[in-house]
Amino acid sequence: MTSAELNALTAGVDPRAFDPFSWFNIVGEIGCVFWIIAYVFAIRQGFKDRAYGLPLIAICLNFAWEFLASWVIPNPVPLWLAFDRIWFFVDVVIVYQLLRYGASLQRIPEVRNYFYPIVVVTTVLGGIGLYTFYLQYRDILALVGAFMINLVMSVTFVFFFFERRHQGGRGLSVPAAWCKLVGTLGTSIECHYVIGLAEPWLPSLSFLHFLSASIFLVDLVYAVLVTRWASARAAGGQTPLEQQEEPRVPMLEAA
């Protein structure tokens, strides 16, 4: 990051916004640690189950955002840039799991047949969309874009759960679900202060309020679903939802 980019980014901004030791940034940094832990649990479960542990669309958008945040969009705080790059390299492993195991887990023939082009095109279009949103709306550090992806991820996680329980729960991780919830809660608190202080031209933070509240509620639903399902499995039974459903056609096994 050049000095000119740094000056342009921080000009007229309340210095507390980019102070990593401001209380709200400490809360957010703890949230970032929980996100890393969530990734680790998801990756561990993925290798154990020969599956990928996040919804396909979430992996593609996440990877695109982390690439931009790590290598393209200026960041005035070295600690935050370090988190972005840790996420990026951890996400490389998740992308590997998606490419390694993903095609065989698809139940829609067209998606299975064109799986790799779908992943590439989704990632590229996601990156272009995020970057143009960042440019047009002056989305500081692409934070609002990150929460938009987070909401997409949270909603698709619920459908991911309903699909994966028919595949023996492959890739479902209870610790990852709860760590994502806690991690996003921490970064939500942080970003309300950072965006409010760094973007004083905004008339309100109502959209960020909506994103944060929605993510928390949907994450809670997903975490409870996965926890109840895992508890029922551990007890040797089925959840009520599983008992009501018809048998599914067996999936293709991963190579």
Side-chain angles (χ1 to χ4, degrees):
M1 182 177 186
T2 66
S3 58
E5 289 175 324
L6 179 61
N7 291 335
L9 185 61
T10 59
V13 173
D14 189 314
R16 293 174 297 169
F18 297 139
D19 178 3
F21 298 106
S22 295
W23 73 266
F24 48 86
N25 284 328
I26 292 175
V27 170
E29 287 148 12
I30 294 171
C32 290
V33 172
F34 271 94
W35 259 103
I36 294 171
I37 296 171
Y39 278 154
V40 170
F41 277 122
I43 289 170
R44 186 182 70 171
Q45 194 67 42
F47 279 124
K48 179 181 177 181
D49 296 342
R50 298 175 64 81
Y52 56 95
L54 282 75
L56 185 154
I57 183 67
I59 294 176
C60 295
L61 294 178
N62 241 15
F63 189 68
W65 185 90
E66 286 158 5
F67 174 81
L68 292 172
S70 297
W71 314 106
V72 178
I73 296 172
N75 192 320
V77 183
L79 177 61
W80 297 355
L81 182 59
F83 275 124
D84 292 337
R85 291 183 174 174
I86 290 171
W87 288 340
F88 174 80
F89 287 113
V90 172
D91 216 33
V92 168
V93 181
I94 296 175
V95 171
Y96 166 77
Q97 291 179 326
L98 175 67
L99 298 176
R100 176 68 179 84
Y101 307 122
S104 65
L105 291 168
Q106 306 308 311
R107 294 185 179 276
I108 301 172
E110 291 81 2
V111 175
R112 185 167 59 246
N113 293 338
Y114 298 99
F115 180 77
Y116 299 107
I118 288 171
V119 171
V120 172
V121 170
T122 303
T123 304
V124 171
L125 289 179
I128 293 171
L130 287 166
Y131 189 62
T132 53
F133 181 87
Y134 158 78
L135 292 175
Q136 178 168 331
Y137 293 101
R138 299 175 65 188
D139 179 19
I140 191 78
L141 305 184
L143 295 177
V144 175
F147 277 90
M148 291 164 61
I149 294 171
N150 204 331
L151 180 56
V152 171
M153 181 188 300
S154 297
V155 172
T156 53
F157 255 127
V158 174
F159 295 95
F160 183 75
F161 163 76
F162 289 130
E163 179 66 18
R164 285 296 178 84
R165 67 183 180 182
H166 298 295
Q167 301 173 342
R170 290 172 66 171
L172 296 179
S173 169
V174 174
W178 287 104
C179 286
K180 178 192 181 305
L181 184 151
V182 175
T184 302
L185 180 61
T187 55
S188 295
I189 294 170
E190 174 187 32
C191 287
H192 274 81
Y193 286 91
V194 171
I195 294 175
L197 293 171
E199 301 184 40
W201 60 84
L202 292 174
S204 77
L205 296 178
S206 54
F207 185 56
L208 185 60
H209 297 334
F210 161 75
L211 291 173
S212 299
S214 299
I215 292 166
F216 178 79
L217 291 174
V218 180
D219 279 354
L220 184 60
V221 169
Y222 173 69
V224 169
L225 284 172
V226 175
T227 302
R228 290 183 60 194
W229 176 86
S231 298
R233 293 270 295 186
Q238 291 181 306
T239 67
L241 288 173
E242 286 179 312
Q243 292 170 354
Q244 296 171 8
E245 294 188 354
E246 297 178 357
R248 297 288 295 270
V249 177
M251 67 174 184
L252 295 176
E253 287 296 327

